[in-house]
Amino acid sequence: MKGDWKKWLLTGLMLTAPAVSAATVWEPRLRIAAEERYDDDLRLGAGATGGQFMSKLSPRVGLEGKDERLTLDGFYAADVLMRHGSGRVTLDHRSGLALQYLLSRRLRVDGYARVFRVTDPTSLPRDGLARSTEPTFFTQARLGITARASERVDVRAGYALEVVRILEDGQHTGSAHTPTLEMLYRSSRRLTLGLEYRYQGFLYERVLSQAHALTGSLRYRLTRPTTLIARAGPVRYLAPYGQESGWVPRVNLELAREGELFDLGFAVGHDLVGASGFANALWADYATLTLARRFNQRFSAFGAASFFRNGRAPARAWSTFDNARRVSQGYAVGAGVEYAVNRQVAMQGAVDRIAQVGVAEAAGAAGDLSRNVFAVRLIVTAW
């Protein structure tokens, strides 16, 4: 018992003294993908023969940093596409930065930013498919701060930004600004309940439309690798002067599974979206499904499918499934396999089908933007 006071003093000093952070470890990354594909999209320069073989080279450089508090990942990638029949060569640019930083045991900051300049707008990570085949500039960013108010309650404030501009004469920049405030309550180890307020500001041609949403959420861990997320609530859309305002339902259902051998992702919902490049705000129906199956350490297969419908907010022509003049609708499906030769080299084969049946108020191109892509890839991760 005589030595206990020393133990108590040492324990108190460890609890009150600031943690000593280890030095940040920085690791460079380099990956090169070489692809040969057949693409039958006439609007991307394939020519009147109905299709064309193309070669694609995609070098990607990155930098990762990590310590006890910081996790950072940044990259830049270039995509060089050479069409053999027409001789046309295009250059696309992609870049991104993601970070997470622990300010304290109760306070965390996280965010990401992605910038694209592409000649193929269907490759952009946004809701729906493209309404133009012209080159497009697109930016997507998100920043959030999460505070632990108690053992069961977290409060999170966030801001999201999307900016798009179709690089064609006569087109205008569109943007969507989305600040949010959310409270999360962990009622058990499996169940988390949430309540979120979301503001949306849609800006196009110097005209602003707005939306206010109050959304309840439920997050339930069905099994250790499987989680169900449900969100629902009303959205009040405030249109510019002279246009139609109204109420829109916000509904979202997600199921995610990340296992050792099998991954599954499913989402379906209805919401308001912006930054389309031709209108302030759109309503959107969407459904997506992704699958990945690892058979062993070397061989795996993957697949994805999505469906979407877009129309003018708040709900113009929402119940009409065959009115192509007022509603854009389409789908995308794809599948592929991958074989890892070793840790640095992998080979892929993939097939993709994109169909956009009906394009409302298209910019630069109209009609059916369907295309089929057959590709084989060699991916080398140098370091």
Side-chain angles (χ1 to χ4, degrees), residues 318-376:
W318 177 74
S319 61
T320 304
F321 279 80
D322 57 354
N323 191 340
R325 294 183 178 181
R326 305 182 71 181
V327 175
S328 297
Q329 49 193 328
Y331 65 88
V333 294
V337 294
E338 178 176 300
Y339 179 77
V341 179
N342 52 46
R343 292 184 178 181
Q344 287 76 36
V345 180
M347 297 182 295
Q348 288 184 354
V351 178
D352 293 285
R353 162 74 175 173
I354 300 172
Q356 186 156 333
V357 288
V359 184
E361 302 167 285
D368 185 0
L369 301 182
S370 301
R371 62 190 295 198
N372 300 287
V373 179
F374 306 88
V376 292

Side-chain angles (χ1 to χ4, degrees), residues 97-379:
L97 177 68
L99 68 88
Q100 178 176 301
Y101 187 72
L102 301 178
L103 296 172
S104 68
R105 293 181 180 180
R106 291 180 174 268
L107 205 58
R108 183 184 77 247
V109 175
D110 59 82
Y112 69 84
R114 296 182 288 186
V115 180
F116 302 82
R117 197 282 187 189
V118 298
T119 53
D120 179 6
T122 64
S123 64
L124 294 174
R126 60 178 179 180
D127 296 310
L129 298 182
R131 277 117 176 128
S132 171
T133 58
E134 296 299 320
T136 302
F137 173 85
F138 181 74
T139 296
Q140 192 177 62
R142 187 181 299 271
L143 180 65
I145 182 168
T146 303
R148 175 155 294 183
S150 68
E151 292 184 359
R152 292 180 177 269
V153 178
D154 287 349
V155 178
R156 178 175 176 81
Y159 172 75
L161 169 70
E162 287 192 6
V163 178
V164 64
R165 180 176 177 83
I166 300 172
L167 302 179
E168 182 184 26
D169 292 340
Q171 300 302 323
H172 303 273
T173 300
S175 60
H177 306 262
T178 309
T180 58
L181 181 63
E182 183 178 20
M183 183 179 69
L184 298 171
Y185 174 73
R186 291 180 295 277
S187 63
S188 68
R189 292 183 177 180
R190 289 191 171 189
L191 178 63
T192 300
L193 302 176
L195 184 65
E196 179 195 65
Y197 166 74
R198 182 188 71 179
Y199 168 83
Q200 291 173 291
F202 306 104
L203 187 62
Y204 182 69
E205 289 190 281
R206 299 182 180 180
V207 177
L208 176 69
S209 60
Q210 306 173 75
H212 302 270
L214 188 64
T215 306
S217 65
L218 178 151
R219 181 187 182 96
Y220 187 75
R221 187 174 293 276
L222 299 174
T223 63
R224 182 172 296 180
T226 308
T227 302
L228 173 68
I229 302 175
R231 300 182 182 91
V235 180
R236 177 59 176 173
Y237 176 66
L238 304 175
Y241 178 77
Q243 299 183 23
E244 179 185 0
S245 299
W247 291 93
V248 180
R250 182 189 183 190
V251 181
N252 174 256
L253 183 66
E254 298 180 22
L255 183 67
R257 183 188 190 278
E258 295 184 2
E260 183 177 349
L261 297 177
F262 178 67
D263 294 342
L264 168 68
F266 173 74
V268 61
H270 179 87
D271 204 351
L272 282 183
V273 297
S276 64
F278 73 98
N280 286 59
L282 302 171
W283 59 259
D285 288 332
Y286 58 89
T288 62
L289 175 66
T290 59
L291 300 167
R293 177 70 164 89
R294 289 171 291 278
F295 298 96
N296 52 49
Q297 294 182 349
R298 293 183 180 271
F299 185 68
S300 61
F302 54 89
S306 64
F307 170 79
F308 83 98
R309 297 177 67 238
N310 290 149
R312 280 294 186 105
R316 190 176 301 175
W318 177 74
S319 61
T320 304
F321 279 80
D322 57 354
N323 191 340
R325 294 183 178 181
R326 305 182 71 181
V327 175
S328 297
Q329 49 193 328
Y331 65 88
V333 294
V337 294
E338 178 176 300
Y339 179 77
V341 179
N342 52 46
R343 292 184 178 181
Q344 287 76 36
V345 180
M347 297 182 295
Q348 288 184 354
V351 178
D352 293 285
R353 162 74 175 173
I354 300 172
Q356 186 156 333
V357 288
V359 184
E361 302 167 285
D368 185 0
L369 301 182
S370 301
R371 62 190 295 198
N372 300 287
V373 179
F374 306 88
V376 292
R377 305 183 186 99
L378 177 67
I379 303 173

